[in-house]
Amino acid sequence: MKKLYLIGMGPGGPQYLTIQAIDALKQVDVFFMLEKEGRGKEELLQMRLDILRHYLGESGYRVVTASSPARGTQGGYAAGVQTWHDEKRTLFEGLIASELRDGQSGALLLWGDPSLYDQTVTLATDLAACSGGALDIEIIPGITSVQMLTARHKIPLNRVGERITITTGRDAEQCDPAEIDNTVVMLDYNASFQRFTGQNMDVYWGGYLGCPDEILFAGALDEVLDELLRIKSQARQEKGWLMDTYLLRRRKDDPAS
């Protein structure tokens, strides 16, 4: 039997791995690293390599790098995502077949926690279910950017008696602003927080959370919007990539809250 670990690596630096994740690293024969297209991919790969060197040194394991399939847009969003997932599943299947011997284990280091907006868990469980018992998987949870965001801003995630919603930029582009009271937005390439001016909201924003070049910014959304847009644009321009997360929180003095 072969084994595949899906290890939540936290939001960036080696210090954010759990003890369970560190113990799992020591069981792995082959680490699979997927490279995305575009500027900044070397830095994303290097962060994972730094984690391995920090805890495992330079030897005793192999690193296999493969190009991650790009998500297409043909046929609409849902069709593009399905095609993308199918291609990734085929890629994982090929890597496991060609790079792992029976009795060996492989691993993917996944940003944050494997369960939060990352479909690798679904793809891996599908492969295990179709393997006839030849593949086992183990999921190691990790610290999320959501936790890091609230810790860095020194605020609780929830308020007393209120729900907390975690959603995507794509959803934030379409939802009714009146529905937003206390919402974390992830994967927001288009700065959807622009839609929520005039709503008496505060924004707590973080870019590259947990990384050495982490950026924090907060304030009343109506007052800081232009500066936040500038910060976001400059960060992406300088590094070629940006992972950011933010919390939109309607003020308590708002009758809609």
Side-chain angles (χ1 to χ4, degrees):
M1 177 185 289
K2 301 177 182 181
K3 186 166 186 175
L4 181 66
Y5 289 93
L6 305 182
I7 302 175
M9 60 178 269
Q15 67 270 36
Y16 299 115
L17 267 71
T18 65
I19 294 174
Q20 183 188 22
I22 296 167
D23 288 342
L25 293 179
K26 298 174 183 177
Q27 308 304 313
V28 175
D29 299 295
V30 181
F31 291 93
F32 300 121
M33 305 280 182
L34 301 187
E35 281 191 320
K36 295 185 177 181
E37 293 182 346
R39 189 164 62 95
K41 65 180 182 180
E42 296 85 1
E43 186 175 4
L44 292 169
L45 178 62
Q46 189 60 50
M47 288 182 184
R48 287 169 167 82
L49 296 175
D50 288 345
I51 286 174
L52 298 186
R53 290 174 184 142
H54 184 89
Y55 289 111
L56 303 179
E58 299 284 349
S59 62
Y61 58 91
R62 288 195 299 123
V63 174
V64 174
T65 304
S67 296
S68 181
R71 191 178 75 191
T73 57
Q74 187 173 4
Y77 175 76
V81 169
Q82 184 60 57
T83 299
W84 181 43
H85 287 171
D86 290 344
E87 292 173 349
K88 290 185 74 172
R89 186 185 295 105
T90 299
L91 174 62
F92 293 156
E93 186 175 24
L95 289 172
I96 292 167
S98 63
E99 301 294 344
L100 291 182
R101 299 191 304 271
D102 192 43
Q104 286 191 319
S105 61
L108 289 159
L109 295 177
L110 303 178
W111 206 275
D113 182 86
S115 70
L116 187 58
Y117 288 116
D118 189 321
Q119 290 302 308
T120 307
V121 171
T122 301
L123 305 183
T125 53
D126 286 349
L127 289 176
C130 297
S131 72
L135 176 67
D136 182 32
I137 68 167
E138 184 170 345
I139 300 167
I140 310 296
I143 296 172
T144 68
S145 61
V146 178
Q147 295 164 283
M148 185 61 62
L149 178 74
T150 54
R152 284 290 191 256
H153 282 291
K154 302 179 182 179
I155 57 173
L157 182 58
N158 68 296
R159 296 189 294 195
V160 176
E162 287 188 357
R163 67 182 180 181
I164 177 68
T165 303
I166 301 176
T167 191
T168 64
R170 183 177 179 82
D171 179 67
E173 289 177 353
Q174 304 170 2
C175 72
D176 181 352
E179 298 175 357
I180 301 296
D181 287 312
N182 199 49
T183 298
V184 174
V185 183
M186 306 176 65
L187 310 173
D188 185 9
Y189 185 85
N190 293 323
S192 301
F193 48 78
Q194 298 175 85
R195 296 187 62 234
F196 300 96
T197 55
Q199 296 290 316
N200 199 20
M201 289 186 183
D202 292 320
V203 60
Y204 299 87
W205 182 89
Y208 313 112
L209 289 161
C211 299
D213 44 6
E214 175 182 275
I215 309 171
L216 298 175
F217 190 78
L221 181 59
D222 289 12
E223 299 173 8
V224 303
L225 176 62
D226 290 343
E227 179 65 7
L228 180 52
L229 288 171
R230 185 195 67 79
I231 291 171
K232 186 177 171 80
S233 175
Q234 180 178 336
R236 180 175 285 113
Q237 183 177 7
E238 289 178 354
K239 292 175 68 66
W241 63 281
L242 173 62
M243 288 187 182
D244 62 337
T245 304
Y246 59 90
L247 171 68
L248 289 173
R249 178 167 283 173
R250 192 181 301 274
R251 294 181 176 180
K252 280 289 192 179
D253 57 357
D254 193 317
S257 66

PDB file of all heavy atoms in Angstrom, residues 197-229:
ATOM      1  N   THR A 197     -18.898  50.009   0.396  1.00  0.00           N
ATOM      2  CA  THR A 197     -18.868  51.359   0.936  1.00  0.00           C
ATOM      3  C   THR A 197     -20.300  51.818   1.206  1.00  0.00           C
ATOM      4  O   THR A 197     -21.255  51.313   0.604  1.00  0.00           O
ATOM      5  CB  THR A 197     -18.183  52.331  -0.044  1.00  0.00           C
ATOM      6  OG1 THR A 197     -18.842  52.263  -1.328  1.00  0.00           O
ATOM      7  CG2 THR A 197     -16.710  51.964  -0.214  1.00  0.00           C
ATOM      8  N   GLY A 198     -20.436  52.780   2.121  1.00  0.00           N
ATOM      9  CA  GLY A 198     -21.761  53.272   2.471  1.00  0.00           C
ATOM     10  C   GLY A 198     -22.538  52.320   3.353  1.00  0.00           C
ATOM     11  O   GLY A 198     -23.747  52.508   3.569  1.00  0.00           O
ATOM     12  N   GLN A 199     -21.865  51.278   3.868  1.00  0.00           N
ATOM     13  CA  GLN A 199     -22.526  50.255   4.685  1.00  0.00           C
ATOM     14  C   GLN A 199     -22.116  50.326   6.161  1.00  0.00           C
ATOM     15  O   GLN A 199     -22.447  49.433   6.920  1.00  0.00           O
ATOM     16  CB  GLN A 199     -22.194  48.867   4.128  1.00  0.00           C
ATOM     17  CG  GLN A 199     -22.719  48.606   2.742  1.00  0.00           C
ATOM     18  CD  GLN A 199     -24.226  48.486   2.722  1.00  0.00           C
ATOM     19  OE1 GLN A 199     -24.821  47.840   3.576  1.00  0.00           O
ATOM     20  NE2 GLN A 199     -24.860  49.124   1.742  1.00  0.00           N
ATOM     21  N   ASN A 200     -21.376  51.370   6.541  1.00  0.00           N
ATOM     22  CA  ASN A 200     -20.945  51.541   7.934  1.00  0.00           C
ATOM     23  C   ASN A 200     -20.151  50.328   8.416  1.00  0.00           C
ATOM     24  O   ASN A 200     -20.425  49.752   9.458  1.00  0.00           O
ATOM     25  CB  ASN A 200     -22.142  51.788   8.850  1.00  0.00           C
ATOM     26  CG  ASN A 200     -21.733  52.410  10.185  1.00  0.00           C
ATOM     27  OD1 ASN A 200     -20.650  52.990  10.297  1.00  0.00           O
ATOM     28  ND2 ASN A 200     -22.580  52.284  11.183  1.00  0.00           N
ATOM     29  N   MET A 201     -19.146  49.955   7.625  1.00  0.00           N
ATOM     30  CA  MET A 201     -18.347  48.763   7.918  1.00  0.00           C
ATOM     31  C   MET A 201     -16.893  49.112   8.181  1.00  0.00           C
ATOM     32  O   MET A 201     -16.355  50.070   7.618  1.00  0.00           O
ATOM     33  CB  MET A 201     -18.413  47.774   6.751  1.00  0.00           C
ATOM     34  CG  MET A 201     -19.731  47.079   6.588  1.00  0.00           C
ATOM     35  SD  MET A 201     -19.629  45.819   5.294  1.00  0.00           S
ATOM     36  CE  MET A 201     -21.330  45.247   5.293  1.00  0.00           C
ATOM     37  N   ASP A 202     -16.287  48.305   9.015  1.00  0.00           N
ATOM     38  CA  ASP A 202     -14.846  48.309   9.197  1.00  0.00           C
ATOM     39  C   ASP A 202     -14.252  47.154   8.402  1.00  0.00           C
ATOM     40  O   ASP A 202     -14.906  46.118   8.210  1.00  0.00           O
ATOM     41  CB  ASP A 202     -14.474  48.142  10.670  1.00  0.00           C
ATOM     42  CG  ASP A 202     -14.855  49.353  11.503  1.00  0.00           C
ATOM     43  OD1 ASP A 202     -14.679  50.485  11.023  1.00  0.00           O
ATOM     44  OD2 ASP A 202     -15.335  49.154  12.632  1.00  0.00           O
ATOM     45  N   VAL A 203     -13.017  47.337   7.945  1.00  0.00           N
ATOM     46  CA  VAL A 203     -12.305  46.271   7.236  1.00  0.00           C
ATOM     47  C   VAL A 203     -11.008  45.983   7.971  1.00  0.00           C
ATOM     48  O   VAL A 203     -10.305  46.895   8.415  1.00  0.00           O
ATOM     49  CB  VAL A 203     -12.037  46.658   5.761  1.00  0.00           C
ATOM     50  CG1 VAL A 203     -11.201  47.919   5.646  1.00  0.00           C
ATOM     51  CG2 VAL A 203     -11.393  45.503   5.001  1.00  0.00           C
ATOM     52  N   TYR A 204     -10.719  44.703   8.132  1.00  0.00           N
ATOM     53  CA  TYR A 204      -9.456  44.233   8.705  1.00  0.00           C
ATOM     54  C   TYR A 204      -8.802  43.374   7.636  1.00  0.00           C
ATOM     55  O   TYR A 204      -9.272  42.269   7.342  1.00  0.00           O
ATOM     56  CB  TYR A 204      -9.702  43.425   9.981  1.00  0.00           C
ATOM     57  CG  TYR A 204     -10.391  44.204  11.074  1.00  0.00           C
ATOM     58  CD1 TYR A 204     -11.789  44.266  11.132  1.00  0.00           C
ATOM     59  CD2 TYR A 204      -9.661  44.873  12.042  1.00  0.00           C
ATOM     60  CE1 TYR A 204     -12.433  44.982  12.129  1.00  0.00           C
ATOM     61  CE2 TYR A 204     -10.300  45.590  13.054  1.00  0.00           C
ATOM     62  CZ  TYR A 204     -11.678  45.644  13.089  1.00  0.00           C
ATOM     63  OH  TYR A 204     -12.316  46.353  14.082  1.00  0.00           O
ATOM     64  N   TRP A 205      -7.722  43.877   7.050  1.00  0.00           N
ATOM     65  CA  TRP A 205      -7.123  43.254   5.866  1.00  0.00           C
ATOM     66  C   TRP A 205      -5.719  42.753   6.193  1.00  0.00           C
ATOM     67  O   TRP A 205      -4.986  43.371   6.988  1.00  0.00           O
ATOM     68  CB  TRP A 205      -7.055  44.286   4.747  1.00  0.00           C
ATOM     69  CG  TRP A 205      -6.512  43.810   3.436  1.00  0.00           C
ATOM     70  CD1 TRP A 205      -7.213  43.252   2.410  1.00  0.00           C
ATOM     71  CD2 TRP A 205      -5.145  43.884   2.983  1.00  0.00           C
ATOM     72  NE1 TRP A 205      -6.368  42.969   1.349  1.00  0.00           N
ATOM     73  CE2 TRP A 205      -5.094  43.345   1.684  1.00  0.00           C
ATOM     74  CE3 TRP A 205      -3.965  44.344   3.574  1.00  0.00           C
ATOM     75  CZ2 TRP A 205      -3.911  43.258   0.961  1.00  0.00           C
ATOM     76  CZ3 TRP A 205      -2.786  44.261   2.853  1.00  0.00           C
ATOM     77  CH2 TRP A 205      -2.764  43.718   1.563  1.00  0.00           C
ATOM     78  N   GLY A 206      -5.345  41.632   5.576  1.00  0.00           N
ATOM     79  CA  GLY A 206      -3.990  41.124   5.714  1.00  0.00           C
ATOM     80  C   GLY A 206      -3.498  40.517   4.411  1.00  0.00           C
ATOM     81  O   GLY A 206      -4.223  39.754   3.754  1.00  0.00           O
ATOM     82  N   GLY A 207      -2.282  40.871   4.024  1.00  0.00           N
ATOM     83  CA  GLY A 207      -1.650  40.280   2.856  1.00  0.00           C
ATOM     84  C   GLY A 207      -0.399  39.516   3.259  1.00  0.00           C
ATOM     85  O   GLY A 207       0.317  39.934   4.173  1.00  0.00           O
ATOM     86  N   TYR A 208      -0.158  38.387   2.610  1.00  0.00           N
ATOM     87  CA  TYR A 208       1.011  37.540   2.906  1.00  0.00           C
ATOM     88  C   TYR A 208       1.061  37.191   4.401  1.00  0.00           C
ATOM     89  O   TYR A 208       2.127  37.210   5.026  1.00  0.00           O
ATOM     90  CB  TYR A 208       2.319  38.223   2.499  1.00  0.00           C
ATOM     91  CG  TYR A 208       2.302  38.837   1.127  1.00  0.00           C
ATOM     92  CD1 TYR A 208       2.363  40.216   0.968  1.00  0.00           C
ATOM     93  CD2 TYR A 208       2.211  38.044  -0.010  1.00  0.00           C
ATOM     94  CE1 TYR A 208       2.345  40.795  -0.298  1.00  0.00           C
ATOM     95  CE2 TYR A 208       2.187  38.613  -1.276  1.00  0.00           C
ATOM     96  CZ  TYR A 208       2.251  39.982  -1.415  1.00  0.00           C
ATOM     97  OH  TYR A 208       2.226  40.544  -2.669  1.00  0.00           O
ATOM     98  N   LEU A 209      -0.089  36.872   4.964  1.00  0.00           N
ATOM     99  CA  LEU A 209      -0.165  36.598   6.399  1.00  0.00           C
ATOM    100  C   LEU A 209       0.770  35.460   6.793  1.00  0.00           C
ATOM    101  O   LEU A 209       0.794  34.408   6.161  1.00  0.00           O
ATOM    102  CB  LEU A 209      -1.601  36.252   6.787  1.00  0.00           C
ATOM    103  CG  LEU A 209      -2.575  37.436   6.748  1.00  0.00           C
ATOM    104  CD1 LEU A 209      -4.020  36.952   6.683  1.00  0.00           C
ATOM    105  CD2 LEU A 209      -2.372  38.340   7.946  1.00  0.00           C
ATOM    106  N   GLY A 210       1.532  35.678   7.841  1.00  0.00           N
ATOM    107  CA  GLY A 210       2.461  34.665   8.320  1.00  0.00           C
ATOM    108  C   GLY A 210       3.784  34.631   7.603  1.00  0.00           C
ATOM    109  O   GLY A 210       4.658  33.841   7.957  1.00  0.00           O
ATOM    110  N   CYS A 211       3.963  35.489   6.601  1.00  0.00           N
ATOM    111  CA  CYS A 211       5.209  35.547   5.840  1.00  0.00           C
ATOM    112  C   CYS A 211       6.059  36.726   6.337  1.00  0.00           C
ATOM    113  O   CYS A 211       5.550  37.643   6.977  1.00  0.00           O
ATOM    114  CB  CYS A 211       4.914  35.703   4.351  1.00  0.00           C
ATOM    115  SG  CYS A 211       3.955  34.344   3.648  1.00  0.00           S
ATOM    116  N   PRO A 212       7.345  36.724   6.007  1.00  0.00           N
ATOM    117  CA  PRO A 212       8.198  37.829   6.455  1.00  0.00           C
ATOM    118  C   PRO A 212       7.750  39.196   5.964  1.00  0.00           C
ATOM    119  O   PRO A 212       7.994  40.213   6.622  1.00  0.00           O
ATOM    120  CB  PRO A 212       9.579  37.456   5.895  1.00  0.00           C
ATOM    121  CG  PRO A 212       9.544  35.979   5.734  1.00  0.00           C
ATOM    122  CD  PRO A 212       8.132  35.649   5.355  1.00  0.00           C
ATOM    123  N   ASP A 213       7.107  39.250   4.798  1.00  0.00           N
ATOM    124  CA  ASP A 213       6.673  40.525   4.233  1.00  0.00           C
ATOM    125  C   ASP A 213       5.179  40.775   4.448  1.00  0.00           C
ATOM    126  O   ASP A 213       4.523  41.460   3.672  1.00  0.00           O
ATOM    127  CB  ASP A 213       7.003  40.598   2.746  1.00  0.00           C
ATOM    128  CG  ASP A 213       6.662  39.313   2.008  1.00  0.00           C
ATOM    129  OD1 ASP A 213       6.066  38.418   2.632  1.00  0.00           O
ATOM    130  OD2 ASP A 213       6.998  39.203   0.819  1.00  0.00           O
ATOM    131  N   GLU A 214       4.640  40.244   5.527  1.00  0.00           N
ATOM    132  CA  GLU A 214       3.233  40.411   5.879  1.00  0.00           C
ATOM    133  C   GLU A 214       2.840  41.899   5.910  1.00  0.00           C
ATOM    134  O   GLU A 214       3.599  42.764   6.352  1.00  0.00           O
ATOM    135  CB  GLU A 214       3.012  39.788   7.253  1.00  0.00           C
ATOM    136  CG  GLU A 214       1.638  39.964   7.848  1.00  0.00           C
ATOM    137  CD  GLU A 214       1.545  39.341   9.226  1.00  0.00           C
ATOM    138  OE1 GLU A 214       1.291  38.138   9.308  1.00  0.00           O
ATOM    139  OE2 GLU A 214       1.770  40.060  10.228  1.00  0.00           O
ATOM    140  N   ILE A 215       1.629  42.184   5.424  1.00  0.00           N
ATOM    141  CA  ILE A 215       1.089  43.546   5.438  1.00  0.00           C
ATOM    142  C   ILE A 215      -0.251  43.521   6.166  1.00  0.00           C
ATOM    143  O   ILE A 215      -1.108  42.675   5.873  1.00  0.00           O
ATOM    144  CB  ILE A 215       0.876  44.085   4.012  1.00  0.00           C
ATOM    145  CG1 ILE A 215       2.129  43.932   3.161  1.00  0.00           C
ATOM    146  CG2 ILE A 215       0.445  45.556   4.061  1.00  0.00           C
ATOM    147  CD1 ILE A 215       1.898  44.245   1.686  1.00  0.00           C
ATOM    148  N   LEU A 216      -0.447  44.444   7.095  1.00  0.00           N
ATOM    149  CA  LEU A 216      -1.710  44.580   7.821  1.00  0.00           C
ATOM    150  C   LEU A 216      -2.277  45.967   7.593  1.00  0.00           C
ATOM    151  O   LEU A 216      -1.541  46.957   7.536  1.00  0.00           O
ATOM    152  CB  LEU A 216      -1.506  44.344   9.320  1.00  0.00           C
ATOM    153  CG  LEU A 216      -1.014  42.969   9.757  1.00  0.00           C
ATOM    154  CD1 LEU A 216      -0.754  42.964  11.259  1.00  0.00           C
ATOM    155  CD2 LEU A 216      -2.017  41.885   9.393  1.00  0.00           C
ATOM    156  N   PHE A 217      -3.613  46.039   7.516  1.00  0.00           N
ATOM    157  CA  PHE A 217      -4.265  47.327   7.313  1.00  0.00           C
ATOM    158  C   PHE A 217      -5.693  47.221   7.828  1.00  0.00           C
ATOM    159  O   PHE A 217      -6.357  46.199   7.648  1.00  0.00           O
ATOM    160  CB  PHE A 217      -4.263  47.701   5.831  1.00  0.00           C
ATOM    161  CG  PHE A 217      -4.686  49.109   5.557  1.00  0.00           C
ATOM    162  CD1 PHE A 217      -3.808  50.162   5.761  1.00  0.00           C
ATOM    163  CD2 PHE A 217      -5.960  49.393   5.094  1.00  0.00           C
ATOM    164  CE1 PHE A 217      -4.193  51.473   5.508  1.00  0.00           C
ATOM    165  CE2 PHE A 217      -6.353  50.688   4.834  1.00  0.00           C
ATOM    166  CZ  PHE A 217      -5.465  51.733   5.043  1.00  0.00           C
ATOM    167  N   ALA A 218      -6.176  48.270   8.476  1.00  0.00           N
ATOM    168  CA  ALA A 218      -7.534  48.248   9.021  1.00  0.00           C
ATOM    169  C   ALA A 218      -8.069  49.667   9.123  1.00  0.00           C
ATOM    170  O   ALA A 218      -7.316  50.643   9.175  1.00  0.00           O
ATOM    171  CB  ALA A 218      -7.552  47.579  10.394  1.00  0.00           C
ATOM    172  N   GLY A 219      -9.396  49.764   9.167  1.00  0.00           N
ATOM    173  CA  GLY A 219     -10.027  51.059   9.348  1.00  0.00           C
ATOM    174  C   GLY A 219     -11.460  51.034   8.861  1.00  0.00           C
ATOM    175  O   GLY A 219     -11.975  50.002   8.400  1.00  0.00           O
ATOM    176  N   ALA A 220     -12.122  52.174   8.969  1.00  0.00           N
ATOM    177  CA  ALA A 220     -13.470  52.325   8.428  1.00  0.00           C
ATOM    178  C   ALA A 220     -13.388  52.248   6.909  1.00  0.00           C
ATOM    179  O   ALA A 220     -12.647  53.006   6.274  1.00  0.00           O
ATOM    180  CB  ALA A 220     -14.064  53.659   8.864  1.00  0.00           C
ATOM    181  N   LEU A 221     -14.119  51.331   6.304  1.00  0.00           N
ATOM    182  CA  LEU A 221     -13.959  51.050   4.877  1.00  0.00           C
ATOM    183  C   LEU A 221     -14.127  52.304   4.026  1.00  0.00           C
ATOM    184  O   LEU A 221     -13.351  52.532   3.084  1.00  0.00           O
ATOM    185  CB  LEU A 221     -14.959  49.974   4.444  1.00  0.00           C
ATOM    186  CG  LEU A 221     -14.895  49.559   2.975  1.00  0.00           C
ATOM    187  CD1 LEU A 221     -13.514  49.011   2.627  1.00  0.00           C
ATOM    188  CD2 LEU A 221     -15.969  48.532   2.653  1.00  0.00           C
ATOM    189  N   ASP A 222     -15.127  53.137   4.325  1.00  0.00           N
ATOM    190  CA  ASP A 222     -15.354  54.329   3.517  1.00  0.00           C
ATOM    191  C   ASP A 222     -14.145  55.267   3.547  1.00  0.00           C
ATOM    192  O   ASP A 222     -13.875  55.974   2.565  1.00  0.00           O
ATOM    193  CB  ASP A 222     -16.583  55.081   4.025  1.00  0.00           C
ATOM    194  CG  ASP A 222     -17.879  54.351   3.711  1.00  0.00           C
ATOM    195  OD1 ASP A 222     -17.810  53.178   3.305  1.00  0.00           O
ATOM    196  OD2 ASP A 222     -18.957  54.948   3.881  1.00  0.00           O
ATOM    197  N   GLU A 223     -13.431  55.282   4.655  1.00  0.00           N
ATOM    198  CA  GLU A 223     -12.325  56.219   4.830  1.00  0.00           C
ATOM    199  C   GLU A 223     -11.003  55.695   4.267  1.00  0.00           C
ATOM    200  O   GLU A 223     -10.150  56.493   3.854  1.00  0.00           O
ATOM    201  CB  GLU A 223     -12.154  56.544   6.316  1.00  0.00           C
ATOM    202  CG  GLU A 223     -13.372  57.212   6.946  1.00  0.00           C
ATOM    203  CD  GLU A 223     -13.234  57.365   8.451  1.00  0.00           C
ATOM    204  OE1 GLU A 223     -12.131  57.092   8.981  1.00  0.00           O
ATOM    205  OE2 GLU A 223     -14.236  57.742   9.097  1.00  0.00           O
ATOM    206  N   VAL A 224     -10.827  54.371   4.260  1.00  0.00           N
ATOM    207  CA  VAL A 224      -9.518  53.808   3.892  1.00  0.00           C
ATOM    208  C   VAL A 224      -9.524  53.113   2.540  1.00  0.00           C
ATOM    209  O   VAL A 224      -8.515  52.543   2.139  1.00  0.00           O
ATOM    210  CB  VAL A 224      -9.035  52.809   4.978  1.00  0.00           C
ATOM    211  CG1 VAL A 224      -8.963  53.486   6.334  1.00  0.00           C
ATOM    212  CG2 VAL A 224      -9.927  51.567   5.031  1.00  0.00           C
ATOM    213  N   LEU A 225     -10.635  53.143   1.837  1.00  0.00           N
ATOM    214  CA  LEU A 225     -10.757  52.375   0.594  1.00  0.00           C
ATOM    215  C   LEU A 225      -9.637  52.683  -0.390  1.00  0.00           C
ATOM    216  O   LEU A 225      -8.979  51.773  -0.912  1.00  0.00           O
ATOM    217  CB  LEU A 225     -12.108  52.637  -0.061  1.00  0.00           C
ATOM    218  CG  LEU A 225     -12.312  51.967  -1.434  1.00  0.00           C
ATOM    219  CD1 LEU A 225     -12.237  50.455  -1.319  1.00  0.00           C
ATOM    220  CD2 LEU A 225     -13.640  52.404  -2.050  1.00  0.00           C
ATOM    221  N   ASP A 226      -9.401  53.948  -0.679  1.00  0.00           N
ATOM    222  CA  ASP A 226      -8.397  54.302  -1.683  1.00  0.00           C
ATOM    223  C   ASP A 226      -7.002  53.819  -1.277  1.00  0.00           C
ATOM    224  O   ASP A 226      -6.236  53.312  -2.106  1.00  0.00           O
ATOM    225  CB  ASP A 226      -8.382  55.814  -1.903  1.00  0.00           C
ATOM    226  CG  ASP A 226      -9.623  56.315  -2.619  1.00  0.00           C
ATOM    227  OD1 ASP A 226     -10.332  55.487  -3.219  1.00  0.00           O
ATOM    228  OD2 ASP A 226      -9.889  57.534  -2.567  1.00  0.00           O
ATOM    229  N   GLU A 227      -6.675  53.970  -0.012  1.00  0.00           N
ATOM    230  CA  GLU A 227      -5.360  53.534   0.449  1.00  0.00           C
ATOM    231  C   GLU A 227      -5.232  52.015   0.396  1.00  0.00           C
ATOM    232  O   GLU A 227      -4.184  51.485   0.016  1.00  0.00           O
ATOM    233  CB  GLU A 227      -5.114  54.037   1.873  1.00  0.00           C
ATOM    234  CG  GLU A 227      -3.785  53.627   2.470  1.00  0.00           C
ATOM    235  CD  GLU A 227      -2.577  54.214   1.750  1.00  0.00           C
ATOM    236  OE1 GLU A 227      -2.746  55.071   0.850  1.00  0.00           O
ATOM    237  OE2 GLU A 227      -1.443  53.817   2.098  1.00  0.00           O
ATOM    238  N   LEU A 228      -6.293  51.308   0.739  1.00  0.00           N
ATOM    239  CA  LEU A 228      -6.247  49.852   0.679  1.00  0.00           C
ATOM    240  C   LEU A 228      -6.097  49.368  -0.756  1.00  0.00           C
ATOM    241  O   LEU A 228      -5.335  48.428  -1.029  1.00  0.00           O
ATOM    242  CB  LEU A 228      -7.511  49.263   1.316  1.00  0.00           C
ATOM    243  CG  LEU A 228      -7.625  47.737   1.349  1.00  0.00           C
ATOM    244  CD1 LEU A 228      -6.379  47.101   1.952  1.00  0.00           C
ATOM    245  CD2 LEU A 228      -8.868  47.305   2.110  1.00  0.00           C
ATOM    246  N   LEU A 229      -6.781  50.002  -1.686  1.00  0.00           N
ATOM    247  CA  LEU A 229      -6.623  49.641  -3.094  1.00  0.00           C
ATOM    248  C   LEU A 229      -5.190  49.885  -3.554  1.00  0.00           C
ATOM    249  O   LEU A 229      -4.629  49.086  -4.315  1.00  0.00           O
ATOM    250  CB  LEU A 229      -7.603  50.434  -3.956  1.00  0.00           C
ATOM    251  CG  LEU A 229      -9.070  50.042  -3.861  1.00  0.00           C
ATOM    252  CD1 LEU A 229      -9.942  51.053  -4.597  1.00  0.00           C
ATOM    253  CD2 LEU A 229      -9.305  48.648  -4.419  1.00  0.00           C
TER     254      LEU A 229
END
